[in-house]
């Protein structure tokens, strides 16, 4: 059964509207078992996305950061599933700097075949279908592609400095640096505004799948840092290996 991807884009944008309804209020923050923050906006967006994806096709299972995660015994039988982060960049949301996103990806045989990244505060949406990628703003959708540069712009996180990153940059040589939160880093690679995103710190599956699809659909390469293989989502460990996005 085919999936209505335009409906999925709409679901992500609706979740973004829900998030924004909490954005300029006093944000109540609680702590999850892993000590990461969660807000009422995370949970409200999650409820909307789960409900709408199930209504779209109840046969496709869903793995979301803000829902109870099924065991590997169950997940290993999934050939196709949704991978969701209803609010990627909760710290950025709390700090109200705009660098947070809604991430929804469809995984087939371990790889993302469709991804949508919506940035509510920026009013922009990125999507990729495995072959092409687009950015949408103010109702206008344009195709995007990666763009090499003589002096590459390296994009990284504000929140996760790393000794590994320092070594990577030293080996890379001359470059420009751009700090951005959440899965926006993949999207800026896809737009050609940056050329390298070394993620040499912790991320989870739901942090990366949608952005990975957008970036690779625009022509980027994403390989694990240690063994140079494609970042795959059919595995027990929800924690990603280190990886590098390049053009």
């Amino acid at each position: 059964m085919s999936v209505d991807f335009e409906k999925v884009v709409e679901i992500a944008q609706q979740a973004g509207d829900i998030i924004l309804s909490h954005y300029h209020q006093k944000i109540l923050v609680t702590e999850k078992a892993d000590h990461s923050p969660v807000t009422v906006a995370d949970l409200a967006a999650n409820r909307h996305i789960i409900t709408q994806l199930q209504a779209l096709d109840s046969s496709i299972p869903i793995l979301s950061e803000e829902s109870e995660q099924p065991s590997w015994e169950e997940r290993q039988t999934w050939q196709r599933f949704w991978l969701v982060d209803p609010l990627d960049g909760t710290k950025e949301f709390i700090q109200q700097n705009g660098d947070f996103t809604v991430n929804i990806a469809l995984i087939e045989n371990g790889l993302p075949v469709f991804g949508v990244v919506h940035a509510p505060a920026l009013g922009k949406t990125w999507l990729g279908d495995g072959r092409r990628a687009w950015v949408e703003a103010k109702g206008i959708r344009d195709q995007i592609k990666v763009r090499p540069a003589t002096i590459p712009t390296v994009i990284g996180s504000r929140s996760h400095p790393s000794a590994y990153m320092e070594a990577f940059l030293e080996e890379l040589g001359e470059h420009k640096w751009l700090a951005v939160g959440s899965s926006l880093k993949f999207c800026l690679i896809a737009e050609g505004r940056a050329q390298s995103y070394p993620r040499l710190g912790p991320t989870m599956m739901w942090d990366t799948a949608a952005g990975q699809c957008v970036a690779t659909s625009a022509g980027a390469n994403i390989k694990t840092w240690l063994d140079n293989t494609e970042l795959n989502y059919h595995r027990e460990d929800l924690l990603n290996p280190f990886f590098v996005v390049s053009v």
Side-chain angles (χ1 to χ4, degrees), residues 125-161:
T125 306
W126 296 263
L127 58 148
D129 65 1
R131 300 176 301 278
R132 292 174 295 170
W134 300 265
V135 61
E136 180 180 305
K138 297 181 179 179
I140 299 172
R141 187 177 294 181
D142 295 309
Q143 190 173 349
I144 52 176
K145 292 184 178 180
V146 298
R147 195 160 50 234
T150 304
I151 300 174
T153 295
V154 180
I155 196 164
S157 175
R158 293 191 181 99
S159 307
H160 302 279

Side-chain angles (χ1 to χ4, degrees), residues 54-192:
Q54 288 175 335
L56 197 60
D57 188 340
S58 60
S59 70
I60 304 177
I62 303 169
L63 177 61
S64 171
E65 177 179 14
E66 303 305 343
S67 299
E68 184 177 353
Q69 279 98 49
S71 68
W72 172 237
E73 184 179 15
E74 178 180 348
R75 289 190 294 110
Q76 67 181 332
T77 66
W78 294 358
Q79 298 301 310
R80 193 184 202 205
F81 67 97
W82 294 109
L83 190 46
V84 173
D85 191 339
L87 204 174
D88 181 30
T90 300
K91 291 179 181 177
E92 281 73 20
F93 174 77
I94 294 167
Q95 294 166 6
Q96 297 184 321
N97 66 20
D99 283 4
F100 53 89
T101 59
V102 178
N103 300 341
I104 305 176
L106 181 63
I107 309 298
E108 290 185 356
N109 300 313
L111 296 175
V113 296
F114 174 79
V116 55
V117 175
H118 176 57
L122 305 181
K124 296 181 74 173
T125 306
W126 296 263
L127 58 148
D129 65 1
R131 300 176 301 278
R132 292 174 295 170
W134 300 265
V135 61
E136 180 180 305
K138 297 181 179 179
I140 299 172
R141 187 177 294 181
D142 295 309
Q143 190 173 349
I144 52 176
K145 292 184 178 180
V146 298
R147 195 160 50 234
T150 304
I151 300 174
T153 295
V154 180
I155 196 164
S157 175
R158 293 191 181 99
S159 307
H160 302 279
S162 163
Y164 293 113
M165 178 71 83
E166 292 180 13
F168 178 93
L169 295 176
E170 185 175 345
E171 184 175 346
L172 179 65
E174 186 178 5
H175 65 277
K176 300 174 184 177
W177 174 258
L178 181 61
V180 176
S182 73
S183 57
L184 289 171
K185 294 182 280 292
F186 291 99
C187 301
L188 297 188
I189 294 272
E191 280 192 41

